């Protein structure tokens, strides 16, 4: 991210210069107009450099990922998660809450909508907290060597994905009910 700061600053300064020139000169002379066009071209050139740097960085990131130099969590392995039935239970419960949140419909009374939201949110939070406690327990087991690191990372990945699904279900429900609670 740091490599983008300089081009962004330069673009901002150039944009400021253009705006200042327009304001001060009122675009009255040909010379001023030419200078404005030069500054605008500089801004476009800097944007092009920024885009080029961004594309270059994305290409580098893709190469690093292809070469396996970046650490990414493994996908949940069915054989590993099958050894931990709690994950299957969490999966079932998350799916049920997702359906429950999808089924929520807004009424004309905002207070009723808000109470519906709070009730469902309590259920979502309770399950998310339970999954967090389970994740913490499994992390402790991995630290003690009771389960392998590979098993733990797959458990954690599965729990994180389920937690993301709960968050999405809550956000969708909030939207459906017209509730803003951030």
């Amino acid at each position: 991210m740091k490599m983008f700061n300089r081009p962004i600053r330069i673009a901002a300064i150039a944009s400021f210069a253009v705006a200042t020139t327009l304001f001060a000169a009122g675009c009255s002379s040909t010379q001023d107009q030419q200078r404005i066009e030069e500054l605008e071209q500089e801004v476009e050139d800097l944007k092009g450099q920024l885009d080029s740097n961004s594309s270059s960085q994305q290409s580098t990131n893709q190469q690093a990922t292809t070469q396996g130099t970046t650490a990414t969590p493994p996908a949940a392995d069915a054989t590993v998660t099958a050894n931990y039935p709690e994950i299957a239970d969490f999966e079932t419960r998350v799916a049920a809450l997702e359906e429950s949140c999808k089924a929520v419909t807004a009424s004309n009374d905002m207070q009723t909508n808000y109470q519906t939201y709070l009730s469902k949110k309590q259920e979502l939070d309770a399950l998310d907290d339970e999954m967090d406690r389970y994740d913490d327990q499994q992390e402790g087991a991995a630290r003690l060597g009771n389960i392998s690191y590979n098993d733990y990372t797959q458990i954690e990945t599965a729990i994180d994905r389920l937690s993301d699904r709960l968050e999405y279900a809550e956000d969708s429900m909030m939207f459906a009910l017209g509730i803003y609670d951030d």
Side-chain angles (χ1 to χ4, degrees), residues 75-83 154:
D77 181 353
T79 58
V80 172
T81 56
N83 293 331
Q154 291 187 28

Side-chain angles (χ1 to χ4, degrees), residues 162-180:
L162 291 171
S163 184
D164 289 346
R165 286 173 52 189
L166 287 177
E167 188 174 325
Y168 181 78
E170 179 181 351
D171 290 347
S172 298
M173 177 184 57
M174 285 172 49
F175 180 76
L177 293 173
I179 301 294
Y180 178 80

Side-chain angles (χ1 to χ4, degrees), residues 31-48:
Q31 195 175 34
D32 291 339
Q33 188 62 34
Q34 288 174 341
R35 181 65 183 144
I36 290 170
E37 289 173 7
E38 289 172 9
L39 291 171
E40 288 175 340
Q41 184 59 45
E42 286 179 34
V43 169
E44 291 303 315
D45 292 344
L46 290 170
K47 286 180 183 177

Side-chain angles (χ1 to χ4, degrees), residues 71-74 80 84 135 138-139 141-157:
T72 56
V80 172
Y84 301 92
D135 182 35
Q138 297 309 311
E139 182 179 12
R143 286 181 188 202
L144 294 172
N146 296 335
I147 66 170
S148 72
Y149 172 75
N150 185 50
D151 282 7
Y152 170 66
T153 58
Q154 291 187 28
I155 290 167
E156 182 177 42
T157 300

Side-chain angles (χ1 to χ4, degrees), residues 2 13 21 30 46 52-53 58 65 76 107-108 161 166 178:
K2 206 163 182 104
I13 290 169
T21 304
T30 305
L46 290 170
S52 173
N53 286 343
Q58 287 175 349
T65 301
S107 74
N108 292 332
R161 288 182 179 150
L166 287 177

